[in-house]
Amino acid sequence: MDIAALLTSTGINIVICVVLFSFYSILRKQPINVNVYFGRRLASQHSKRINLCLERFLPSPSWIWKAWETSEDEIMAIGGLDGVVFVRILVFSIRVFSIAAGICIILVLPINYHGQDRIHKIIPFESLEVFTIENVKEGSKWLWAHCLALYVITLSACTLLYFEYKSITYLRLLHIIGSPPNPSHFTILVRSIPWSSEQSYCETVKNFFSHYHAPTYLSHQMIYKSGTVQKLKDDAEHMCKVIKHASVEKTCKSNFTPCCYPGFATNSFKKISSEMDSIQRKMSYNNMHLDTGEKDCAAAFVFFKSRYAALMAALVQQTSNPMLWVTDVAPEPHDVYWSNIRIPYRQLWLLPPMMMFFSAVEGSISRSSRKKSACCKVLYFTIWNVFFVNVFTGSVISQLSVFSSVTDLPSQLAKAVPAQSTFFTTYVLSSGWASLACEVMQFFPLLCNIVERFILRHKEDTLNGNLSFPYHTEVPKVLLFGFLGFTCSILAPLILPFLLIYFFLAYLVYRNQIINVYITKYDSGGQFWPIAHNTTIFSLIFAQLIALGVFGLKSSSIASGFTIPLLIGTLLFHQYCRKRFLPVFKSNSAQILIDLDLRDERCGRMEEIYEQLRTTYNQPNVMLHASCHPQCCGHHENKDSGESSEDMEKGKENNQKNRPQAVQRSLSLSSDKSVLGVN
């Protein structure tokens, strides 16, 4: 492929993007498309503005200016911390690849072009391989420039990563402190509750936490079997009981006149109908007192009187058997993934690790953790599918044979990657730029809207799918292009300008989508940034390994020797960031939680928070089982429960022995900024 063909492909993709962006700027102004391009605003305001001027049918760049002018605080208010983190990933990519493009185009590209003594063609007819490191002859003294560029890119990326990680960590802490009281901070999820024939799951939970967490235990809420299958089963059981009870009542009563008895006017149908109503009322009343143990799951939400108590209960192993009374930090109410909470914990444990890795159902208790897990899997798949499969072309066996020896991996990659740099450049053009145009157009929701409007004749605005931002697909896509950029930066610098254009367009498009289209239902608190950080570090190390192999093939011992310290330094930097910043994303600190508890106690908000906990975790598609067990949602009373540790683990009752006493702590209240280390 030559430069003229690359420019032709670039021109075609530019025309496609301009046409689609122009269509988008027109379609977004039409009132019938308000639910497609303004879903978030429609969900929050439930109103639309109709403007019947000629401007509606003319393309305009107004959406670009709006996306550019929106501040980070507005993004935080609209898309949450996850939206800010995604935009920060794009900003980081723009910054680091601007530096990479500058150093590589100015320093590396001319050396690649003049790497061998040859007669060059006119630039438009030059092959793209001339601009890669393949064109540098073996033993060239100019390979130090590639090593220098690699140092500049790595140091710039690590410096930007450090400040971004530090800034996002600070934003996460502010998010925890500045948000309204979060019910999940007072709640833990308990699974694998032991079964007892003498008492229900509800009573077992109450007795256990009343005994071992008496000073801090508040109440709990059981989780019940639900869903379409369970609802049909419950309805069938209910109807069987009604019919059975009706037949018994009918045979026992002898004062009914047969409806076919001649010579008498009868209202037996009316009597039967009225009796069925009374029987159903009796059955519904009796069901209020029936044992619903078969509908209970071995899981419950347990509420505590303080954030610190909930954190300690979630982190500490409750019994000597780690398979019983398994506790986790509860997700936010809107983030609960109810279908997975009902999965028995032992099924999540007997599952093979490899099946767990590839399975779509991992037992994630929250939607954000499920999306985070899917993000990692999509990232692994896309990097393998786009990069390695294309680099090591051929059969599966030949691809796997490349990795038969670890020591040969750098040299194998050094031979294969520069040869495929042309494909990666065109991939950025075709898949990168075009995907952004398709993202802003929202083809599938637009098609669904056309069908509803003109075929089904629906006149009211309906939210198509009630969309939330697809972080599990868009984050891997952005990180994949970053991986390609780091890998090919010194090998094929021509890819960098196209990558810069992609990241700049992505910055505008995704900001527009966050502002107008996608609805924020829950927030993971910036949990996607560690994924971006780890992927960037992996990309840097991978690029350094390939460069080490290339320098070895080109017989440049000096460049190879200087690459090894860079590799070690990158690993040490990654280890430092893991120790310094990653724990903040894994768990909340005791200092912050205790200070928040003391602040709420001083302001007198604890009772209000306790009242909110009762109705926060409402399980969908479940009948009011709480009315069957009023004690399941009641407050804890400090009474002697009287269970030993062995019997309590099994859910049985016994005499009271060795109840743990409350631990006295002396705490000093500090301000929010002092907690975060800000003067």
Side-chain angles (χ1 to χ4, degrees):
M1 188 176 185
D2 53 21
I3 295 294
L6 179 64
L7 294 178
T8 302
S9 176
T10 304
I12 294 174
N13 283 277
I14 290 176
V15 170
I16 292 174
C17 290
V18 170
V19 170
L20 290 180
F21 287 151
S22 300
F23 272 120
Y24 165 72
S25 65
I26 296 175
L27 292 175
R28 70 192 298 268
K29 300 176 185 179
Q30 311 309 313
I32 61 172
N33 295 327
V34 66
N35 57 331
V36 177
Y37 299 115
F38 296 95
R40 189 199 65 82
R41 294 189 178 184
L42 183 63
S44 59
Q45 300 176 2
H46 300 284
S47 63
K48 63 181 181 179
R49 180 182 62 185
I50 300 178
N51 188 6
L52 299 178
C53 62
L54 181 61
E55 187 182 356
R56 281 177 45 203
F57 304 98
L58 297 177
S60 64
S62 60
W63 66 275
I64 298 178
W65 305 125
K66 178 62 178 177
W68 177 264
E69 294 174 352
T70 303
S71 64
E72 187 175 270
D73 292 337
E74 293 174 325
I75 295 292
M76 175 75 78
I78 296 172
L81 187 55
D82 289 340
V84 173
V85 166
F86 186 78
V87 174
R88 287 288 189 93
I89 295 174
L90 296 173
V91 172
F92 165 79
S93 302
I94 292 174
R95 290 173 177 173
V96 71
F97 286 113
S98 297
I99 298 174
I103 187 69
C104 290
I105 291 178
I106 294 176
L107 183 62
V108 175
L109 190 63
I111 293 176
N112 289 346
Y113 184 72
H114 298 286
Q116 292 186 5
D117 298 332
R118 57 184 298 178
I119 300 176
H120 290 281
K121 303 178 183 178
I122 304 176
I123 294 294
F125 300 101
E126 283 282 11
S127 174
L128 292 181
E129 284 74 15
V130 177
F131 299 92
T132 67
I133 201 171
E134 280 188 310
N135 196 48
V136 179
K137 62 182 179 181
E138 184 177 345
S140 174
K141 297 180 180 180
W142 290 99
L143 287 173
W144 64 266
H146 298 77
C147 184
L148 177 62
L150 188 62
Y151 262 86
V152 173
I153 294 172
T154 303
L155 293 177
S156 301
C158 291
T159 302
L160 292 173
L161 274 179
Y162 173 78
F163 286 108
E164 288 292 342
Y165 217 150
K166 183 178 180 180
S167 176
I168 293 174
T169 302
Y170 179 76
L171 288 178
R172 174 175 170 82
L173 295 176
L174 283 181
H175 173 74
I176 297 173
I177 294 176
S179 300
N182 193 339
S184 64
H185 292 169
F186 295 85
T187 312
I188 67 171
L189 175 64
V190 183
R191 291 182 288 179
S192 191
I193 302 171
W195 164 252
S196 174
S197 59
E198 301 177 1
Q199 57 186 5
S200 64
Y201 281 127
C202 181
E203 294 171 343
T204 302
V205 172
K206 182 179 180 181
N207 293 335
F208 182 87
F209 285 95
S210 298
H211 182 84
Y212 291 107
H213 299 271
T216 57
Y217 168 62
L218 180 66
S219 62
H220 69 278
Q221 176 179 322
M222 295 303 301
I223 297 173
Y224 300 93
K225 299 176 183 177
S226 63
T228 305
V229 177
Q230 185 64 33
K231 186 177 183 300
L232 293 175
K233 180 181 177 181
D234 295 342
D235 293 341
E237 291 177 354
H238 179 72
M239 290 303 299
C240 288
K241 292 177 182 178
V242 170
I243 295 173
K244 182 178 179 181
H245 194 77
S247 62
V248 172
E249 291 286 338
K250 183 176 180 180
T251 56
C252 293
K253 292 185 179 182
S254 60
N255 58 350
F256 273 94
T257 304
C259 57
C260 60
Y261 194 81
F264 291 91
T266 179
N267 59 350
S268 52
F269 284 110
K270 188 180 296 184
K271 290 182 179 180
I272 293 175
S273 178
S274 62
E275 184 178 355
M276 288 294 293
D277 293 339
S278 63
I279 290 173
Q280 288 181 355
R281 287 194 295 270
K282 291 179 181 179
M283 291 297 298
S284 63
Y285 176 78
N286 292 332
N287 285 339
M288 299 288 286
H289 303 281
L290 289 176
D291 182 16
T292 57
E294 295 182 356
K295 296 182 176 65
D296 292 352
C297 295
F301 287 110
V302 180
F303 308 116
F304 289 83
K305 296 179 181 179
S306 66
R307 298 174 177 87
Y308 179 76
L311 178 64
M312 291 298 102
L315 298 180
V316 174
Q317 181 176 318
Q318 298 297 321
T319 65
S320 58
N321 187 352
M323 295 294 293
L324 297 178
W325 297 103
V326 181
T327 57
D328 290 300
V329 177
E332 295 183 4
H334 296 288
D335 195 17
V336 177
Y337 192 45
W338 293 99
S339 59
N340 274 4
I341 289 182
R342 297 188 295 270
I343 300 176
Y345 182 76
R346 292 178 183 270
Q347 293 184 11
L348 303 180
W349 183 270
L350 300 175
L351 197 65
M354 192 57 66
M355 289 297 294
M356 175 71 79
F357 180 78
F358 290 103
S359 176
V361 181
E362 289 185 322
S364 301
I365 62 175
S366 64
R367 298 180 183 275
S368 60
S369 60
R370 182 175 66 117
K371 190 168 286 190
K372 177 183 174 183
S373 176
C375 174
C376 296
K377 290 178 175 57
V378 173
L379 179 62
Y380 302 151
F381 176 78
T382 52
I383 289 179
W384 173 261
N385 188 44
V386 174
F387 184 82
F388 288 101
V389 171
N390 287 282
V391 167
F392 302 114
T393 55
S395 63
V396 177
I397 297 178
S398 63
Q399 294 175 21
L400 295 178
S401 64
V402 175
F403 303 99
S404 59
S405 177
V406 179
T407 56
D408 295 337
L409 180 60
S411 60
Q412 295 286 346
L413 291 172
K415 296 177 182 177
V417 172
Q420 293 294 329
S421 58
T422 302
F423 167 77
F424 296 138
T425 303
T426 55
Y427 181 82
V428 173
L429 285 174
S430 59
S431 180
W433 293 10
S435 66
L436 294 176
C438 295
E439 166 65 29
V440 77
M441 280 292 294
Q442 295 286 300
F443 282 114
F444 182 73
L446 182 63
L447 179 62
C448 293
N449 183 63
I450 293 175
V451 171
E452 290 182 357
R453 295 284 187 179
F454 300 103
I455 298 179
L456 301 180
R457 299 295 182 180
H458 291 171
K459 297 182 179 180
E460 296 183 357
D461 294 324
T462 58
L463 296 178
N464 291 318
N466 214 5
L467 294 177
S468 61
F469 196 94
Y471 292 105
H472 60 292
T473 59
E474 302 310 305
V475 171
K477 187 182 300 181
V478 173
L479 295 179
L480 170 66
F481 288 116
F483 173 80
L484 295 178
F486 284 116
T487 304
C488 301
S489 56
I490 66 171
L491 305 180
L494 280 181
I495 196 176
L496 296 176
F498 302 105
L499 270 179
L500 267 180
I501 296 175
Y502 166 78
F503 286 122
F504 182 75
L505 289 177
Y507 177 79
L508 297 174
V509 168
Y510 287 119
R511 282 171 69 94
N512 175 78
Q513 302 300 86
I514 292 174
I515 295 170
N516 297 318
V517 179
Y518 294 115
I519 302 171
T520 303
K521 300 178 182 178
Y522 47 84
D523 195 348
S524 70
Q527 291 290 344
F528 292 99
W529 178 256
I531 298 177
H533 175 87
N534 295 338
T535 305
T536 304
I537 293 295
F538 171 76
S539 303
L540 289 173
I541 294 175
F542 192 77
Q544 294 162 8
L545 287 175
I546 294 178
L548 186 64
V550 171
F551 295 152
L553 291 177
K554 299 294 183 180
S555 302
S556 178
S557 58
I558 297 178
S560 300
F562 276 99
T563 305
I564 296 176
L566 186 63
L567 187 65
I568 297 174
T570 305
L571 291 173
L572 292 177
F573 168 76
H574 177 56
Q575 188 65 18
Y576 169 78
C577 290
R578 284 176 55 88
K579 298 293 184 181
R580 173 62 182 86
F581 301 115
L582 187 59
V584 178
F585 291 83
K586 288 187 174 181
S587 178
N588 296 326
S589 66
Q591 180 186 12
I592 292 179
L593 296 182
I594 293 173
D595 286 343
L596 290 176
D597 288 335
L598 294 176
R599 184 181 67 182
D600 290 336
E601 290 177 358
R602 188 176 66 251
C603 298
R605 288 189 295 185
M606 278 301 189
E607 292 299 328
E608 179 183 354
I609 295 174
Y610 296 160
E611 291 295 329
Q612 293 177 354
L613 289 176
R614 296 184 180 182
T615 58
T616 298
Y617 289 90
N618 293 324
Q619 187 174 357
N621 301 324
V622 174
M623 298 177 66
L624 296 178
H625 292 290
S627 60
C628 302
H629 293 287
Q631 69 274 20
C632 290
C633 296
H635 288 280
H636 161 62
E637 297 179 0
N638 289 324
K639 295 182 179 180
D640 295 339
S641 58
E643 282 95 348
S644 64
S645 59
E646 182 178 358
D647 291 339
M648 182 61 69
E649 182 177 331
K650 297 179 181 178
K652 297 181 180 180
E653 297 183 355
N654 204 338
N655 295 328
Q656 179 182 6
K657 294 181 181 179
N658 300 328
R659 169 181 289 186
Q661 300 296 325
V663 179
Q664 301 295 330
R665 297 186 300 269
S666 58
L667 302 173
S668 60
L669 182 64
S670 57
S671 63
D672 296 346
K673 291 186 177 181
S674 62
V675 170
L676 303 182
V678 180
N679 294 326

